[in-house]
Amino acid sequence: MSLPPLVEPAAELTVDEVRRYSRHLIIPDVGMAGQKRLKNAKVLCVGAGGLGSPALMYLAAAGVGTLGIIDFDVVDESNLQRQIIHGQSDVGRLKAESAAASVREINPLVEVVIHNTALTTENVMEIFSGYDLIVDGTDNFATRYMVNDAAVLLGKPYVWGSIYRFDGQASVFWAEHGPCYRCLYPEPPPPGMVPSCAEGGVLGVLCASIGSIQVNEAIKLLTGIGDPLVGRLMIYDALEMKYRDVKVRKDPECVLCGKNPSVTELLEDYEAFCGAISDEAAEAASGSTITAQELKAMQDNKENIFLVDVREPNEYEIVSIPGATLIPKGEFLNGSALERLPQDKRIVLHCKSGARSAEALAIVKNAGFSDAVHVGGGVLSWVKTVDPSLPSY
């Protein structure tokens, strides 16, 4: 389905711009008019991480006139395996600042707008209103639903992408011409059901594959060429090297973009809507969460504890807390882990950050281990506050 160009063309291209974009200009479908539209376009990239890195670099190279970057995080060494817009010298630097510097190096003709802040319900509408198109490079469900809801309420299209291990997905959501994200995923998955990239990993180059597709869709929307991914979900399997797309129809009963929407404004709390952890896990963790320093004190005092690491074996190989026994979360879910827990010791659970161990804690407490606890912050907290010599990931 071809769509009209999203933006009007700029008045002219300078001699320098004609020279820079000459390979675009000689493509009949783009030409002078298309390049002028790109020059006049304002695109916001949500996130300067795995997907945001290649997206920002190619949007800049393509000549998008104004590029917005929103990210509040800082560059970590573990980012460099896939977030190619940052370099070793950027470690510890604000991602938005680092990304902006790279964009300016790629194309000094692009105006860069930095939003060094977290995207929230208080600022999302104001920030989005200043742009023609949103490119969503987020990696959590709460922000994805907020991006979608804000875009629909403002009548703006956005290009979505998702990556995990060797698999990627991409689509264009534009309620005026097709479905929105809620039509595809009416409800977020149960807490803990879908691991994040931080928990499950991602092949670094996959970011480039999906991020470049997002830019390709953005260019098509801005210039009005081709058949954008509106109403289609593109699925990429990097191991099998296969692309396929699935039709996504607009849901007439969608709570946001359907015939009788019940969601007419932003939700108050998207984290609560998506449930970072289940209610059972939150209840179990209440009053049963210890710090990494408290765990170290338990070990130093030789308290009678049984420390359990509920991460996956490959994570355990990267870094582990001394004295921990590996029993992956999956074994708690199927019940087999309970046979391995001693009755005469206090059970202490941990994972990478605390979410998975809280879910396992709920199961352990329901099995009768009433004094069991978990480590808030998990391995990340241990490395940060107890033993910084250990690697993080």
Side-chain angles (χ1 to χ4, degrees), residues 111-390:
E111 179 183 353
V112 185
V113 181
I114 297 173
H115 303 275
N116 185 37
T117 182
L119 196 65
T120 67
T121 53
E122 285 76 29
N123 64 21
V124 63
M125 299 293 278
E126 180 182 357
I127 291 174
F128 278 19
S129 64
Y131 295 91
D132 303 304
L133 177 68
I134 313 300
V135 174
D136 183 12
T138 58
D139 62 356
N140 67 87
F141 288 102
T143 309
R144 286 174 184 167
Y145 278 97
M146 181 172 61
V147 167
N148 176 77
D149 293 1
V152 171
L153 293 172
L154 290 168
K156 295 182 182 291
Y158 78 99
V159 185
W160 169 80
S162 175
I163 49 176
Y164 177 68
R165 291 186 174 170
F166 299 98
D167 300 317
Q169 299 180 354
S171 188
V172 172
F173 296 112
W174 194 356
E176 183 178 336
H177 296 282
C180 77
Y181 183 75
R182 285 181 182 263
C183 295
L184 178 62
Y185 298 114
E187 298 288 340
M193 183 66 69
V194 180
S196 67
C197 291
E199 294 174 350
V202 62
L203 185 69
V205 72
L206 182 67
C207 302
S209 300
I210 301 303
S212 62
I213 288 171
Q214 289 182 278
V215 176
N216 186 64
E217 293 306 302
I219 291 173
K220 287 156 62 179
L221 290 167
L222 294 168
T223 59
I225 63 175
D227 183 11
L229 281 171
V230 176
R232 293 185 292 144
L233 174 67
M234 194 227 64
I235 301 170
Y236 172 52
D237 183 335
L239 281 183
E240 298 294 330
M241 200 56 218
K242 290 181 179 179
Y243 288 89
R244 63 190 178 96
D245 63 48
V246 178
K247 287 187 177 180
V248 181
R249 301 189 184 278
K250 190 178 184 71
D251 182 2
E253 304 303 320
C254 176
V255 297
L256 182 68
C257 73
K259 295 178 180 177
N260 299 294
S262 57
V263 177
T264 57
E265 58 184 15
L266 296 178
L267 304 183
E268 290 186 6
D269 190 341
Y270 282 89
E271 292 285 352
F273 170 67
C274 293
I277 59 175
S278 67
D279 293 341
E280 293 82 2
E283 182 179 353
S286 179
S288 297
T289 300
I290 63 171
T291 65
Q293 297 99 317
E294 288 173 325
L295 170 60
K296 183 64 166 61
M298 286 179 171
Q299 293 178 325
D300 291 344
N301 294 332
K302 300 189 184 303
E303 294 188 24
N304 192 30
I305 63 172
F306 185 68
L307 180 61
V308 181
D309 186 333
V310 305
R311 297 175 301 154
E312 296 302 308
N314 57 318
E315 294 178 272
Y316 186 83
E317 289 179 4
I318 297 171
V319 58
S320 62
I321 297 178
T325 298
L326 177 66
I327 308 179
K329 176 188 167 185
E331 296 185 27
F332 286 90
L333 295 176
N334 65 30
S336 61
L338 299 176
E339 300 175 358
R340 300 176 59 183
L341 302 182
Q343 299 287 334
D344 59 343
K345 293 185 177 182
R346 188 181 190 186
I347 308 302
V348 180
L349 307 167
H350 83 81
C351 62
K352 180 178 181 179
S353 62
R356 284 175 283 177
S357 59
E359 299 287 349
L361 180 65
I363 297 171
V364 169
K365 282 184 171 291
N366 287 335
F369 296 87
S370 58
D371 64 345
V373 294
H374 87 121
V375 181
V379 167
L380 294 179
S381 179
W382 180 273
V383 172
K384 183 176 181 180
T385 65
V386 177
D387 190 355
S389 67
L390 293 175

